[in-house]
């Protein structure tokens, strides 16, 4: 929808926005007169950042495997590609809505874990290393499920690797003698 446009308009303090189609004569003439030179810059990911991203994706995949073990979910829509989309929450909740009261605590927790991990995946690229580590530390201390136990993905090797890599991105030592 237009939510992103509204957000940008609020940020730029723009009150009115006029959208003109490209086939409109004045728009076409203006685009032809003013050639735009596009320069595309690409920043490669560091090994630490790529490792953090891989650990999050591996944790998401492990959560999906556990959800697939439940017989209450249609597994055809439970792919890693669909889990990365924001609409995945709505899809899985729609599937579980008729039997939500019968679904176990573990499955409910896994659904919430997937939501948290997808947000973390977005935060990796958005936040700097220190802020991301602080977010992870806050998650570790504050995130408790209904059962009072930490989320499933924190027990996994990928979850531990996520915390270790995030910490090493901030506290990695450099030898100054070289």
């Amino acid at each position: 929808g237009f939510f992103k446009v509204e957000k940008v308009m609020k940020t730029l303090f723009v009150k009115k926005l006029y959208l003109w189609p490209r086939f409109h004569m004045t728009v076409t003439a203006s685009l032809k007169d003013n050639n735009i030179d596009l320069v595309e810059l690409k920043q490669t990911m560091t090994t630490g950042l790529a490792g953090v991203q891989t650990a999050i994706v591996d944790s998401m995949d492990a959560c999906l495997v556990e959800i697939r073990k439940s017989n209450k979910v249609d597994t055809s829509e439970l792919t890693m590609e669909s889990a990365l989309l924001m609409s995945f929450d709505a899809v899985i909740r729609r599937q579980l809505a008729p039997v939500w009261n019968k679904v176990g605590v573990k499955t409910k927790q896994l659904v919430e874990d997937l939501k948290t991990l997808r947000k973390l995946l977005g935060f990796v690229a958005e936040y700097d290393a220190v802020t991301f580590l602080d977010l992870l530390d806050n998650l570790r201390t504050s995130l408790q499920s209904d059962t009072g136990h930490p989320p499933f993905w924190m027990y996994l090797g990928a979850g531990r690797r996520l915390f270790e890599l995030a910490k090493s991105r901030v506290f990695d030592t450099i030898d100054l003698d070289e």
Side-chain angles (χ1 to χ4, degrees):
F2 287 103
F3 179 69
K4 290 181 182 178
V5 174
E6 290 175 9
K7 195 173 178 182
V8 170
M9 286 176 63
K10 284 181 183 177
T11 304
L12 296 175
F13 300 105
V14 175
K15 294 185 186 215
K16 291 184 181 181
L17 174 70
Y18 298 101
L19 299 175
W20 293 73
R22 291 183 187 197
F23 59 83
H24 196 276
M25 296 300 269
T26 57
V27 174
T28 304
S30 176
L31 289 174
K32 283 183 182 176
D33 292 342
N34 302 318
N35 288 333
I36 299 173
D37 292 331
L38 178 65
V39 177
E40 191 171 322
L41 303 174
K42 183 178 179 183
Q43 179 75 29
T44 58
M45 284 196 291
T46 63
T47 54
L49 182 62
V52 167
Q53 193 175 36
T54 303
I56 294 172
V57 170
D58 290 346
S59 297
M60 288 177 73
D61 194 35
C63 288
L64 282 173
V65 167
E66 288 297 315
I67 290 176
R68 281 188 202 113
K69 290 179 182 177
S70 167
N71 295 332
K72 299 178 177 25
V73 182
D74 178 21
T75 58
S76 65
E77 294 182 3
L78 290 181
T79 63
M80 195 60 213
E81 292 80 18
S82 66
L84 294 174
L85 301 173
M86 291 298 230
S87 62
F88 182 74
D89 288 333
V91 169
I92 198 159
R93 289 204 185 267
R94 185 177 48 236
Q95 284 186 13
L96 292 174
V99 291
W100 188 252
N101 293 334
K102 297 177 185 175
V103 173
V105 174
K106 183 178 180 182
T107 305
K108 291 178 183 179
Q109 180 178 348
L110 288 169
V111 171
E112 288 300 316
D113 288 351
L114 280 172
K115 186 176 177 180
T116 303
L117 288 167
R118 188 175 40 263
K119 286 181 181 178
L120 282 177
L121 198 57
F123 292 155
V124 166
E126 189 176 330
Y127 294 163
D128 61 294
V130 175
T131 307
F132 186 75
L133 179 63
D134 186 45
L135 175 73
L136 277 179
D137 286 339
N138 287 337
L139 271 177
R140 185 185 301 189
T141 57
S142 68
L143 200 61
Q144 296 287 325
S145 69
D146 295 336
T147 60
H149 300 295
F152 171 76
W153 62 271
M154 285 188 187
Y155 288 121
L156 300 174
R160 286 192 303 275
R161 194 170 67 241
L162 170 63
F163 285 100
E164 290 168 5
L165 288 169
K167 190 174 181 180
S168 72
R169 285 179 65 206
V170 176
F171 297 113
D172 201 11
T173 58
I174 299 172
D175 189 12
L176 297 175
D177 293 336
E178 292 179 9

